[in-house]
Amino acid sequence: MSQVLTLWNRANALPVLGAGVGRRVFSLAFGQKAPYFASIGPRFTDLRPNRAELVIPKRRRVHNHLGTVHAIALCNGLEAAMGALAEVTIPADKRWIPKGMEVAYTAKATSDITCIAETDPEQWTSDDPDLPVRVRGVREDGTVVIEGVIKLWVTPKTR
């Protein structure tokens, strides 16, 4: 089991503090992996192989000139979800690196945004090094505000 998944499971099983506080602790720790993750204040809500989900709270520091969640914050949320998914899903004998991102902005991000990253199990066992991760961001009313694909380059680890 990956270190990230182990940390997630331990954080959600804290007997005294409970899963809610454990998830916040995990989210703060994961936010330190890259400074731009911390800038959006992600709150992870689900993390398991082939799926990661987090919420970007709508607050002033992620607003654009329209008062909605800005495009870069949305992309940072999608990338954080994808990175967590990759860490908990990738086989131990492989490594990954982002290769590119293609997204479409489909509606205004006028609420907290749930960022979701998903893959299929067979993608990780393929010999094809190109691995597309499906990503989307959803408003509280269920409207998709951003969707696309983050392409990963997955190769065997060198010894």
Side-chain angles (χ1 to χ4, degrees), residues 7-24:
L7 178 60
W8 172 257
N9 289 337
R10 285 184 181 162
N12 278 285
L14 292 173
V16 176
L17 301 176
V21 174
R23 288 179 180 177
R24 287 182 189 252

Side-chain angles (χ1 to χ4, degrees), residues 39-40 56 61-63 69-78 115:
S39 73
I40 60 170
I56 302 172
R61 73 176 173 176
V62 296
H63 282 182
V69 180
H70 67 77
I72 299 304
L74 295 171
C75 288
N76 286 346
L78 296 177
C115 296

Side-chain angles (χ1 to χ4, degrees), residues 3-156:
Q3 291 178 339
V4 173
L5 188 55
T6 298
L7 178 60
W8 172 257
N9 289 337
R10 285 184 181 162
N12 278 285
L14 292 173
V16 176
L17 301 176
V21 174
R23 288 179 180 177
R24 287 182 189 252
V25 169
F26 174 87
S27 297
L28 286 169
F30 193 86
Q32 299 308 305
K33 293 281 276 180
Y36 55 93
F37 289 166
S39 73
I40 60 170
R43 292 189 325 238
F44 280 85
T45 56
D46 187 19
L47 183 57
R48 60 182 186 258
N50 299 298
R51 182 175 171 85
E53 183 176 302
L54 62 86
V55 175
I56 302 172
K58 182 182 181 289
R59 56 180 179 251
R60 187 166 176 14
R61 73 176 173 176
V62 296
H63 282 182
N64 58 22
H65 64 290
L66 302 173
T68 61
V69 180
H70 67 77
I72 299 304
L74 295 171
C75 288
N76 286 346
L78 296 177
E79 190 168 359
M82 173 281 303
L85 174 149
E87 286 295 318
V88 304
T89 308
I90 195 164
D93 64 333
K94 293 187 178 182
R95 61 185 177 176
W96 67 273
I97 188 167
K99 187 175 174 183
M101 174 187 271
E102 295 175 11
V103 295
Y105 305 106
T106 56
K108 288 184 180 179
T110 57
S111 69
D112 291 356
I113 303 299
T114 300
C115 296
I116 302 162
E118 296 176 309
T119 55
D120 300 316
E122 59 274 4
Q123 289 179 269
W124 295 94
T125 56
S126 169
D127 290 333
D128 186 356
D130 290 313
L131 193 151
V133 178
R134 300 177 305 278
V135 292
R136 68 185 181 280
V138 183
R139 257 185 348 217
E140 289 175 338
D141 67 3
T143 302
V144 174
V145 300
I146 185 170
E147 61 186 339
V149 172
I150 299 176
K151 297 176 185 175
L152 302 183
W153 185 251
V154 178
T155 58

